[in-house]
Amino acid sequence: MSRHGQVREASQLQRRLEALNTARELAEGVLPDDNLQSVYDVLERATSRRSLSAGHTVVGFFGATGSGKSSLFNAVSGSGLATATARRPTTSAPLAGIWGEDGSGPLLDWLDVKERHTLPPVPGLADADTGLVLLDLPDFDSTRVENREIAQRMVGMVDVLVWVLDPQKYADAAVHNDFLRPMASHGAVTLVVLNQVDRLNAADASAVMQSLEGILERDGLGTVRVVGASALTGDGVPAVRAAIRNVVVQREATTRRLAADVVKAGAELAEASGDGEARGITAGAKARLASELATAANVPVVVDAVQRSFKRESARRTGWPVTRWLLRFRPDPLRRLNLRREDTRPELSRTSLPPAGAPERARTDAAVRDFADDASAGAPGPWRATIRAVARDGREQLPDALDQAIAGTDLKATQRPLWWALFNTLQWLALVLAVGGLGWLGVLAALGYFQMPVPEVPRTEGWPWPTLMVAGGVGLGIVLAITGRILGGWAARIRASGAAKRLKSAVASVAEQRIVEPVEVEITRLKAFNAALKAARSK
């Protein structure tokens, strides 16, 4: 690959690693810790490997006991470094053959490989400028736990994986289920060698190779190159060398290995999460939530109190002065609810509305649950559970928040319409007129009682003025009272309608803050997680 191509691949890998890390961070608290830790380990390994020598490619030889792995390592490396024996375990610690020692030290320290040997050039494989590190590793089925752990650790760290199988155990379920199948995404940096083909005749060797290729295809490794070889006779060894050299000289094994790690980690994260996007929050769902919460918070009770309070106050301000004082004995509905306040700061106040009972709590719970279910529809299980959880958390704070919202809503209880003053003035003028007429009649009656001269009273159409004054004053007062009551009822409905809008708006604000916004945050987080995961897994 050209230098420009390598830079481009490295840049793409960086973006995918960043996307995977973003997905991991977004999934905190949603997906199981084990899955997140696995992703974190991949990111840590990637960071560590990219900080070490980019000029070296680490190729690990993996195999079961008796597969001839160490013998093949010797044959490929042209050395006798690895000990070949039939006794178990064969290899107890990693062994490194190095071509191009400069810069390999920190890399081998990170791999925790203590035994290191610089080897001479091997035709068809490597020389001092190649930058190849060939590792002979302990058997992955060793009876020693330490050996198995080393092999498993190295599977996650080397740049290229060479799986050495033998004709007897090439189809072993443990090999495929525990190692090869989980590494299906690493086909670009995997080579499979069927060793000891010298033990088979030509027909059997061909049949075994076809069988192995079929098993690998079922493992998801159908594109992996399979090479038949014999460490004893040297058959196929040049092909193994050529395959390794081809990967090394392209200088992209490390990037491909890390990219495969990202794909694998992304796939595991996607499996833990599940597929799908949440439906999201609709205007209709928000409106239904606010409406149900308003009912549960006794908003209709407050609206009715506003209407009755206005009608009462209107009658007090516009009714007949002789009888309006009786209304003082009727309690103000808003004052009984502690909602007629002039000087108290609303944020420090509470209403006297009855506390939420079982029906109101059930209504609130159902409204919040239905809203969360509607918004989270289509979301994967863990995310849907998280969305429901934040909605439940907000629900616990609703009763107090709704009471404060109602207490802080301006119900316009102290606002007096101008027509009240006009009617009140006219009522008092009518009363003065009636009282004046009565006084005039009283004077006339007193004069007649004491046998004194009674002056002639002005008349209009034969009706004496004092009588007209009394009748006119009383009649005008009654008409004003009736008109005021009609206007007061109409204005009370308008006042109640305005209060209802403000109260519902206050309840909607509480719902937005306590329920809608937290749910929306989680839905946005899921959307961002899916986008990051898609970016991490895309090539």
Side-chain angles (χ1 to χ4, degrees):
M1 178 179 285
S2 66
R3 176 65 177 172
H4 179 72
Q6 292 175 2
V7 172
R8 184 176 65 253
E9 289 283 342
S11 179
Q12 290 177 350
L13 174 60
Q14 179 62 31
R15 287 195 294 271
R16 293 172 68 185
L17 287 169
E18 291 173 354
L20 181 62
N21 187 52
T22 298
R24 180 192 65 83
E25 291 175 344
L26 290 169
E28 290 283 355
V30 179
L31 301 184
D33 291 339
D34 290 345
N35 295 101
L36 299 180
Q37 183 61 46
S38 178
V39 173
Y40 182 78
D41 292 342
V42 169
L43 294 169
E44 283 291 291
R45 287 199 301 268
T47 300
S48 298
R49 180 63 184 94
R50 297 181 80 201
S51 67
L52 299 169
S53 175
H56 286 81
T57 301
V58 181
V59 179
F61 275 54
F62 299 88
T65 304
S67 64
K69 167 180 55 63
S70 295
S71 298
L72 184 64
F73 174 89
N74 286 340
V76 171
S77 64
S79 69
L81 294 178
T83 301
T85 176
R87 292 183 299 108
R88 297 168 63 117
T90 54
T91 306
S92 59
L95 180 152
I98 308 168
W99 289 266
E101 184 177 4
D102 293 344
S104 64
L107 176 59
L108 290 170
D109 290 340
W110 175 66
L111 292 168
D112 195 22
V113 176
K114 301 293 191 300
E115 189 172 352
R116 312 170 185 181
H117 301 272
T118 301
L119 298 178
V122 176
L125 178 65
D127 54 32
D129 297 325
T130 303
L132 170 62
V133 177
L134 209 61
L135 298 181
D136 180 33
L137 300 168
D139 302 335
F140 52 67
D141 64 344
S142 173
T143 56
R144 295 183 59 185
V145 176
E146 297 86 350
N147 291 356
R148 294 200 304 271
E149 290 177 346
I150 291 172
Q152 290 170 346
R153 178 173 62 86
M154 286 298 184
V155 166
M157 300 180 75
V158 300
D159 300 325
V160 179
L161 303 102
V162 178
W163 298 98
V164 182
L165 307 178
D166 63 88
Q168 286 74 37
K169 294 190 293 184
Y170 74 92
D172 187 359
V175 174
H176 292 272
N177 294 337
D178 297 342
F179 290 94
L180 288 170
R181 189 170 298 161
M183 301 299 289
S185 59
H186 293 65
V189 290
T190 299
L191 174 67
V192 176
V193 179
L194 180 63
N195 193 25
Q196 301 175 357
V197 293
D198 57 291
R199 297 182 179 182
L200 304 173
N201 58 42
D204 290 342
S206 177
V208 170
M209 288 287 285
Q210 289 180 2
S211 174
L212 175 57
E213 289 172 352
I215 296 173
L216 291 173
E217 186 170 0
R218 291 193 292 274
D219 290 339
L221 293 166
T223 60
V224 169
R225 183 177 178 185
V226 181
V227 179
S230 171
L232 181 62
T233 65
D235 290 342
V237 172
V240 176
R241 290 174 176 170
I244 294 174
R245 179 177 177 80
N246 183 55
V247 173
V248 173
V249 297
Q250 291 183 30
R251 302 295 184 190
E252 57 183 357
T254 300
T255 299
R256 287 188 173 183
R257 164 63 206 246
L258 296 178
D261 287 344
V262 171
V263 170
K264 184 172 182 288
E268 292 174 352
L269 207 58
E271 183 178 0
S273 169
D275 297 327
E277 292 280 2
R279 176 187 295 168
I281 299 171
T282 63
K286 289 172 63 174
R288 287 192 297 272
L289 174 65
S291 177
E292 289 296 312
L293 292 183
T295 302
N298 290 314
V299 166
V301 174
V302 177
V303 172
D304 179 68
V306 169
Q307 183 170 344
R308 290 188 292 113
S309 176
F310 185 90
K311 290 173 69 175
R312 172 186 177 277
E313 192 67 16
S314 179
R316 284 189 60 224
R317 300 290 177 179
T318 65
W320 196 26
V322 177
T323 59
R324 69 169 64 170
W325 61 275
L326 294 172
L327 293 173
R328 294 181 179 273
F329 296 101
R330 293 172 57 185
D332 183 355
L334 283 180
R335 198 175 298 280
R336 293 182 65 182
L337 296 178
N338 196 31
L339 290 173
R340 181 182 286 279
R341 300 178 300 276
E342 288 92 17
D343 301 322
T344 307
R345 286 179 292 171
E347 64 271 14
L348 300 180
S349 302
R350 292 293 186 273
T351 73
S352 295
L353 287 165
E360 289 78 18
R361 289 195 299 270
R363 187 162 195 155
T364 299
D365 292 349
V368 172
R369 183 175 59 252
D370 290 346
F371 174 80
D373 287 346
D374 182 80
S376 64
W383 294 91
R384 192 166 193 183
T386 298
I387 293 171
R388 288 170 171 171
V390 297
R392 284 196 303 271
D393 292 343
R395 180 192 62 193
E396 300 300 324
Q397 307 166 10
L398 281 177
D400 188 61
L402 289 172
D403 191 76
Q404 280 192 334
I406 292 174
T409 301
D410 184 7
L411 301 176
K412 310 294 184 183
T414 60
Q415 192 175 83
R416 300 175 181 178
L418 293 177
W419 65 271
W420 280 5
L422 175 62
F423 272 58
N424 187 49
T425 301
L426 292 175
Q427 282 283 27
W428 281 106
L429 289 175
L431 181 61
V432 169
L433 182 63
V435 170
L438 287 173
W440 194 346
L441 290 174
V443 170
L444 293 176
L447 290 174
Y449 180 80
F450 290 108
Q451 300 295 313
M452 297 177 67
V454 179
E456 186 67 26
V457 178
R459 295 175 180 272
T460 299
E461 299 291 334
W463 292 91
W465 281 15
T467 303
L468 290 176
M469 289 174 64
V470 173
V474 172
L476 179 60
I478 294 173
V479 170
L480 287 172
I482 294 173
T483 304
R485 186 172 292 273
I486 294 172
L487 290 176
W490 173 74
R493 288 191 293 272
I494 296 177
R495 178 67 63 87
S497 177
K501 290 180 180 178
R502 290 187 293 275
L503 286 167
K504 289 178 180 179
S505 176
V507 169
S509 296
V510 171
E512 185 79 22
Q513 180 182 2
R514 304 290 181 177
I515 305 297
V516 177
E517 288 182 0
V519 167
E520 195 166 25
V521 167
E522 295 305 317
I523 290 173
T524 302
R525 181 153 72 123
L526 170 58
K527 187 175 182 180
F529 169 82
N530 284 337
L533 200 56
K534 181 179 179 181
R537 300 176 68 185
S538 62
K539 296 182 179 180

